[in-house]
């Protein structure tokens, strides 16, 4: 199975490593070229116990690579996990800009059978009311042609 993980930070990179450890072919997607370069060199760009060794091991085994091209990574994937931040604004409302941008990239690469997982903590109802409508594509039906799952949304 080929899986893209969008967001190779403190939460995303350990997920990448665990998926690769279990045999998946994983593409870590990140906008930061330095993070992508570090991962592709088998180096860990975050401080998290046990992760540096796993990054090196999984890159060496050919099961983990990184890219800044999320659209192409998703085109090649069976599943995509989106784990980028929803930053709180001064009024304590979530700024969904980063997630909306990633959702547009995923839609561009949407293909039959793709599983899309939103793993970011969001205000209740955001996935169903904001992101799922953004993913709707002519000739493609969620739940039939592609699938969306998400972790329980919580109020920040």
């Amino acid at each position: 199975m080929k899986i893209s993980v969008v967001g190779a930070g403190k939460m995303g990179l350990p997920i990448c490593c665990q998926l690769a450890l279990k045999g998946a072919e994983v593409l870590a997607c990140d906008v930061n070229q330095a993070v992508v370069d570090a991962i592709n060199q088998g180096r860990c760009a975050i401080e998290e116990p046990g992760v540096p060794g796993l990054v090196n091991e999984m890159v060496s085994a050919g099961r983990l690579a990184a890219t800044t091209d999320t659209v192409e990574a998703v085109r090649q994937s069976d599943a995509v996990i989106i784990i980028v931040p929803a930053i709180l604004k001064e009024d304590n409302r979530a700024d969904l800009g980063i997630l909306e941008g990633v959702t547009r990239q995923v839609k561009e690469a949407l293909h039959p059978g793709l599983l899309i997982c939103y793993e970011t903590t969001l205000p209740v109802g955001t996935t169903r009311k904001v992101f799922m409508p953004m993913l709707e594509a002519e000739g493609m039906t969620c739940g039939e042609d592609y699938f969306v799952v998400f972790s329980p949304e919580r109020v920040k």
Side-chain angles (χ1 to χ4, degrees):
M1 172 174 262
K2 196 167 210 175
I3 303 171
S4 293
V5 177
V6 183
K10 190 164 180 69
M11 302 298 288
L13 191 53
I15 289 171
C16 290
C17 290
Q18 288 302 311
L19 292 167
L21 188 63
K22 297 298 180 187
E25 188 177 333
V26 181
L27 286 166
C29 305
D30 205 281
V31 295
N32 186 329
Q33 186 67 54
V35 169
V36 168
D37 291 344
I39 293 167
N40 285 331
Q41 294 165 10
R43 294 185 293 107
C44 185
I46 63 167
E47 290 186 33
E48 188 70 24
V51 176
L54 280 174
V55 169
N56 187 279
E57 181 183 345
M58 294 300 104
V59 168
S60 295
R63 292 199 304 262
L64 174 61
T67 183
T68 57
D69 190 346
T70 298
V71 174
E72 185 54 34
V74 173
R75 277 193 183 115
Q76 299 174 32
S77 296
D78 302 302
V80 57
I81 298 171
I82 301 168
I83 187 159
V84 296
I87 310 289
L88 284 181
K89 297 187 274 188
E90 286 184 25
D91 63 0
N92 285 328
R93 292 179 3 159
D95 179 348
L96 302 176
I98 296 169
L99 283 152
E100 289 170 346
V102 169
T103 299
R104 282 190 289 277
Q105 291 177 312
V106 170
K107 181 179 180 174
E108 189 176 332
L110 192 62
H111 57 83
L114 183 66
L115 173 64
I116 304 160
C117 175
Y118 286 92
E119 190 59 35
T120 300
T121 300
L122 298 167
V124 174
T126 302
T127 303
R128 286 188 182 98
K129 294 176 185 172
V130 177
F131 301 130
M132 288 175 71
M134 286 180 71
L135 289 166
E136 290 178 4
E138 191 171 324
M140 298 271 284
T141 302
C142 184
E144 293 177 22
D145 301 304
Y146 65 95
F147 306 90
V148 176
V149 298
F150 53 96
S151 58
E153 298 170 313
R154 299 179 296 277
V155 178
K156 278 192 163 189

